[in-house]
Amino acid sequence: MAEAEEVKHFGVRGSPLSLRVDIALRLKGVKFKFCEEDLQNKSPLLIKYNPVHKKVPVLVHNEKPIAESLVILEYIDETWKHQGPPILPQDPYQRANARFWASFIDEKCSPAICKAYWEIEGHEKAMEEACELLQFLENELKDNKFFGGETIGFVDMAASFIGYWLRPIQEAVGVEVLTKEKCPKLYDWCDEFVSHSVVKEVLPPNKETLIAFFLGRCESTKLLEK
């Protein structure tokens, strides 16, 4: 690529959504500058580049901003298609299928997991729903190492919250929705995901800090009294 090319990623360390973008950029071998945001005091640049939602992550490529993590992943894949492995499948049907499961994770799985662990009302029903939704991902893995087959891809990046953050949440609350017994393939996928060489480079280094954070969230919602 041209030497004048400038890539910036406005994100938050420890954010599952920012992690998606970091993984994609590193997988493609794209040099970029990470711009850490304080979500309690958002920078003028973040508001400038994402005036609609004012949220991270935002990718800025040669002063052209792209918002929303899944949209950013597709942009990275298409812009640097001749660098690194593909993020989305080349086959149109498989590509559409990957988009479906990524949307399923964002629209169904993640909200259900958050509701199960942070909302008191309807807690038990939410736990059941979260388990049922994770079973769909269990089935989608089939006998593959990753959702993308033998290599990490679009759906794996979309599922980063499940791959790394879910276990600290479970440890903090003491209630499990993802176990080796219930979802053996998805459980093993989590281990494969966090062991991937690119993923290991960008994971938050201190899991104990994450557990303490989630523990505080659970205490504030009194879920630990259940």
Side-chain angles (χ1 to χ4, degrees), residues 22-185:
D22 273 353
I23 293 172
L25 288 169
R26 291 174 186 272
L27 195 69
K28 286 289 189 178
V30 179
K31 293 183 179 180
F32 67 99
K33 178 182 178 182
F34 183 81
C35 302
E36 180 81 29
E37 280 292 328
D38 178 359
L39 298 185
Q40 302 303 315
N41 184 25
K42 298 174 183 178
S43 73
L45 282 177
L46 177 64
I47 295 171
K48 170 189 173 182
Y49 289 130
N50 190 5
V52 176
H53 298 299
K54 302 179 178 65
K55 294 179 179 180
V56 297
V58 176
L59 184 76
V60 181
H61 182 205
N62 293 335
E63 287 303 307
K64 295 180 292 185
I66 305 98
E68 300 295 324
S69 63
L70 295 181
V71 175
I72 293 171
L73 295 189
E74 293 210 39
Y75 179 84
I76 292 170
D77 196 34
E78 293 171 6
T79 302
W80 292 280
K81 60 184 176 182
H82 299 302
Q83 286 184 223
I87 293 172
L88 276 156
Q90 299 302 305
D91 177 76
Y93 173 76
Q94 292 179 359
R95 182 183 289 260
N97 202 43
R99 290 186 179 120
F100 170 83
W101 287 110
S103 296
F104 173 79
I105 289 165
D106 276 1
E107 296 171 11
K108 293 287 187 179
C109 289
S110 294
I113 291 170
C114 290
K115 185 176 181 180
Y117 283 109
W118 285 304
E119 290 188 19
I120 299 175
E121 187 175 349
H123 169 65
E124 291 183 4
K125 183 179 179 181
M127 292 291 290
E128 292 178 6
E129 181 184 1
C131 289
E132 290 174 2
L133 292 171
L134 290 177
Q135 190 62 50
F136 282 108
L137 294 179
E138 167 79 5
N139 296 337
E140 178 58 22
L141 269 168
K142 302 179 176 69
D143 294 321
N144 295 320
K145 184 177 181 180
F146 296 107
F147 287 99
E150 289 303 306
T151 58
I152 194 169
F154 191 68
V155 180
D156 301 283
M157 296 176 200
S160 62
F161 172 71
I162 296 168
Y164 181 74
W165 277 262
L166 184 52
R167 290 189 193 179
I169 295 174
Q170 294 185 156
E171 187 172 340
V173 181
V175 178
E176 297 179 316
V177 295
L178 175 61
T179 65
K180 181 79 169 177
E181 291 72 30
K182 294 177 183 176
C183 298
K185 295 177 183 177

Side-chain angles (χ1 to χ4, degrees), residues 177-196:
V177 295
L178 175 61
T179 65
K180 181 79 169 177
E181 291 72 30
K182 294 177 183 176
C183 298
K185 295 177 183 177
L186 188 60
Y187 195 91
D188 288 344
W189 168 84
C190 292
D191 290 332
E192 294 286 355
F193 177 76
V194 299
S195 298
H196 190 280

